[in-house]
Amino acid sequence: MQRYFADSKITTEYQLTPEIYKHAIKVLRMKVGDIFELVDDVEVVHKMEITKIEDGKAKATSVEIIPSDVELPADVTIACGISKNDKADWIVQKSTEMGATKFIFFIGDYSVAKWDKKRSSKKVQRLQKIARSAAEQSHRTKIPEVTFVEKLKDIDFEKNDARIVAYEESAKKGESGNLFKILNKKPSNIIAIFGPEGGISPKEIEFLEANSFILAGLGPRIMRAETAPLYFLASLSFALELS
Amino acid sequence: MQRYFADSKITTEYQLTPEIYKHAIKVLRMKVGDIFELVDDVEVVHKMEITKIEDGKAKATSVEIIPSDVELPADVTIACGISKNDKADWIVQKSTEMGATKFIFFIGDYSVAKWDKKRSSKKVQRLQKIARSAAEQSHRTKIPEVTFVEKLKDIDFEKNDARIVAYEESAKKGESGNLFKILNKKPSNIIAIFGPEGGISPKEIEFLEANSFILAGLGPRIMRAETAPLYFLASLSFALELS
């Protein structure tokens, strides 16, 4: 069933926002009596029935609360050095499907792509839209937050009780147990750092190690910058939700 | 380092194939004395040094054997109902990075896309190229094979000691232990079936269950058709290579 986020409290009668109106009434051609799902601002999922469509506006009413438990049992921040092309787009789309809670993009020492102030705020807006739409599609109750910081050092990881950096050099040296060890402790607030296409610089690694980040290999194969976060999130879900 | 597949035995002196010549000499502008990696037909990785470039041809010689252990400890076939657009392209690219051994595409009962005979043979050729290039990039020693069959029933799963079907309905009903149970047995030859965008039909599920396939949920979130195989492969790698 089609799902939307309300970003607000849902009282008896809900007026569809212009965005939801456009998609539900114009694109999907929903009629009075049709049903959709709406997630309110405290992650409660309502089954909504459309009650009125008039003058370019529509109203719906909550007919049922749908129990939902689809979020990962941990907060997971995916922090990525920016790469070229639309890689960030699909890191956000796919990682949202896989349950990420938050995204931070940063300009890595080896980033070839550059996001200046204007570009970065546009990019973040666009990525935030992608996150919302992927969260709707994967029937989540949380829209991941997307942010941008200039440098790796600007990331606030104070609250993260598990700090991981996906490091290709670790994998090459045969490191294969760290990810399992970390996930086995069932951490509740995780941050994982991924380099841009060019990788993470020794200086960045030094900084991360000095801040209690664990270097972890993600298997023996070399993955592209946009694939590694998915490997990480799937492993996390497998370890925390399926094992 | 740049890696290529030779598809042949490598004797003392190796003449670059036209494809490798084009990429190494024309695109990457390698010179005499430059080094690349070449995987021979029995998955041995050679460090090759270019010895001669002349008249649109180039020769190289093996200067070292590079030990390599990057393949999954199990044969893994990813069988997908065909979906629209370029979804197959990136299922093959990303799943190759994650270690898949073989791909089978089939027309599912709910497939909207249709591949006729002519189209399917072109598609398979194209996907095989993508698999080769992703295998080179992820420094694998095996190029996954890509095939196409008309129907789910045409898939030969005789040799697969673990048979899985990723089934959204299982996940919705809260099934969460089957994938772990199957992977915990460390199977050596696995096939996993994924539906097209529209999902798997009850008839197909009936057929699969009658043939010892286990219905497994891949976590509580709904993933797109092209994301589910990646979740599966990452979980598999995590369970078999990192745990």
Side-chain angles (χ1 to χ4, degrees):
Chain A
M1 199 184 302
Q2 183 61 43
R3 172 171 296 200
Y4 301 109
F5 287 91
D7 306 319
S8 64
K9 218 179 204 111
I10 295 170
T11 47
T12 338
E13 206 174 39
Y14 173 80
Q15 176 161 324
L16 277 61
T17 62
E19 290 75 27
I20 298 178
Y21 179 88
K22 198 175 155 193
H23 192 261
I25 311 299
K26 292 287 176 191
V27 178
L28 299 183
R29 296 170 184 277
M30 286 187 190
K31 307 277 173 228
V32 168
D34 282 353
I35 297 290
F36 64 90
E37 291 175 6
L38 190 65
V39 186
D40 72 11
D41 57 348
V42 288
E43 299 186 25
V44 174
V45 185
H46 296 258
K47 190 167 161 180
M48 304 293 289
E49 186 181 328
I50 297 176
T51 52
K52 197 176 170 184
I53 306 176
E54 214 178 70
D55 298 335
K57 286 177 184 171
K59 287 185 172 173
T61 186
S62 169
V63 291
E64 197 184 324
I65 303 287
I66 302 170
S68 179
D69 184 16
V70 301
E71 293 296 331
L72 279 171
D75 265 27
V76 185
T77 298
I78 300 292
C80 295
I82 57 169
S83 289
K84 281 183 294 179
N85 304 329
D86 56 356
K87 282 177 198 292
D89 289 15
W90 91 247
I91 288 174
V92 168
Q93 185 188 72
K94 299 300 166 210
S95 300
T96 298
E97 290 176 53
M98 288 205 186
T101 319
K102 191 177 171 180
F103 297 96
I104 303 172
F105 288 93
F106 64 92
I107 304 175
D109 286 349
Y110 292 163
S111 281
V112 178
K114 300 281 171 225
W115 294 5
D116 57 25
K117 258 223 165 114
K118 201 178 150 197
R119 188 165 158 73
S120 70
S121 94
K122 268 198 178 169
K123 268 278 189 187
V124 165
Q125 262 185 2
R126 178 183 157 76
L127 294 171
Q128 191 63 68
K129 267 191 195 169
I130 292 173
R132 167 181 286 257
S133 136
E136 286 172 355
Q137 178 135 8
S138 54
H139 280 211
R140 292 189 51 182
T141 56
K142 218 178 242 171
I143 304 171
E145 182 197 1
V146 183
T147 59
F148 170 75
V149 298
E150 285 280 333
K151 286 277 156 205
L152 182 60
K153 291 189 182 187
D154 302 330
I155 296 173
D156 176 14
F157 42 77
E158 205 54 41
K159 284 184 199 150
N160 300 110
D161 61 344
R163 301 173 189 179
I164 297 164
V165 46
Y167 194 42
E168 209 168 77
E169 296 304 318
S170 298
K172 277 189 199 158
K173 281 175 197 144
E175 190 293 298
S176 70
N178 281 347
L179 184 63
F180 180 78
K181 267 184 237 159
I182 294 166
L183 297 181
N184 213 25
K185 285 185 195 156
K186 315 273 178 210
S188 64
N189 206 321
I190 306 160
I191 185 167
I193 310 268
F194 299 87
E197 280 155 336
I200 300 183
S201 77
K203 245 191 170 166
E204 287 170 325
I205 287 291
E206 200 182 300
F207 168 78
L208 291 169
E209 285 199 291
N211 284 283
S212 312
F213 278 80
I214 306 290
L215 275 50
L218 303 180
R221 288 162 300 283
I222 293 169
M223 283 179 287
R224 286 173 205 235
E226 73 273 23
T227 314
L230 303 190
Y231 182 105
F232 170 72
L233 284 164
S235 298
L236 185 101
S237 163
F238 181 75
L240 302 186
E241 297 182 309
L242 301 191
S243 299
Chain B
M1 199 185 302
Q2 183 61 43
R3 172 172 296 200
Y4 301 108
F5 287 91
D7 306 318
S8 64
K9 220 180 201 108
I10 295 170
T11 46
T12 339
E13 205 174 42
Y14 173 81
Q15 176 162 324
L16 277 61
T17 62
E19 290 75 28
I20 298 178
Y21 179 88
K22 197 176 156 193
H23 192 262
I25 311 299
K26 292 286 176 190
V27 178
L28 299 183
R29 296 170 184 277
M30 287 188 190
K31 308 277 171 227
V32 169
D34 282 353
I35 297 291
F36 63 92
E37 290 174 6
L38 190 65
V39 186
D40 71 12
D41 57 346
V42 287
E43 298 184 25
V44 174
V45 185
H46 296 257
K47 189 167 161 179
M48 304 293 289
E49 186 181 327
I50 297 176
T51 52
K52 196 176 171 184
I53 306 177
E54 212 177 72
D55 298 335
K57 287 177 185 171
K59 288 183 172 173
T61 185
S62 170
V63 291
E64 197 184 324
I65 301 288
I66 303 170
S68 178
D69 184 16
V70 301
E71 295 295 330
L72 279 172
D75 264 27
V76 185
T77 298
I78 300 292
C80 294
I82 58 169
S83 289
K84 281 183 295 179
N85 303 330
D86 56 355
K87 283 176 197 291
D89 289 15
W90 91 246
I91 288 173
V92 168
Q93 185 187 73
K94 299 300 165 211
S95 299
T96 298
E97 289 175 54
M98 288 204 186
T101 319
K102 191 177 170 179
F103 297 96
I104 304 172
F105 288 92
F106 64 91
I107 303 175
D109 287 349
Y110 292 164
S111 281
V112 177
K114 301 282 171 222
W115 294 5
D116 56 26
K117 257 221 166 111
K118 200 178 151 196
R119 189 166 156 73
S120 69
S121 94
K122 266 197 179 169
K123 268 279 189 185
V124 166
Q125 262 186 2
R126 178 183 156 77
L127 294 171
Q128 191 64 68
K129 266 191 194 167
I130 292 173
R132 166 182 287 257
S133 136
E136 285 171 358
Q137 180 135 9
S138 54
H139 280 211
R140 292 188 52 183
T141 55
K142 219 180 241 170
I143 305 171
E145 181 198 1
V146 182
T147 59
F148 170 75
V149 297
E150 285 279 331
K151 286 277 155 204
L152 183 59
K153 291 189 183 189
D154 301 331
I155 296 173
D156 176 13
F157 41 77
E158 205 53 42
K159 285 184 198 151
N160 300 111
D161 62 344
R163 301 174 189 178
I164 296 164
V165 46
Y167 195 41
E168 210 167 75
E169 296 303 318
S170 297
K172 278 190 197 158
K173 282 175 196 144
E175 190 294 297
S176 70
N178 280 346
L179 184 62
F180 180 78
K181 266 184 237 158
I182 294 165
L183 297 182
N184 213 24
K185 284 184 194 155
K186 314 272 177 210
S188 64
N189 206 321
I190 306 162
I191 185 166
I193 310 269
F194 299 87
E197 281 155 335
I200 299 181
S201 77
K203 245 189 169 167
E204 287 170 325
I205 288 291
E206 200 182 300
F207 167 78
L208 291 169
E209 286 200 289
N211 285 283
S212 312
F213 277 80
I214 306 290
L215 275 50
L218 303 180
R221 289 162 299 282
I222 294 170
M223 283 180 286
R224 287 172 205 236
E226 73 272 24
T227 314
L230 302 191
Y231 182 105
F232 170 73
L233 284 163
S235 298
L236 184 102
S237 163
F238 181 74
L240 302 186
E241 296 182 310
L242 300 192
S243 299

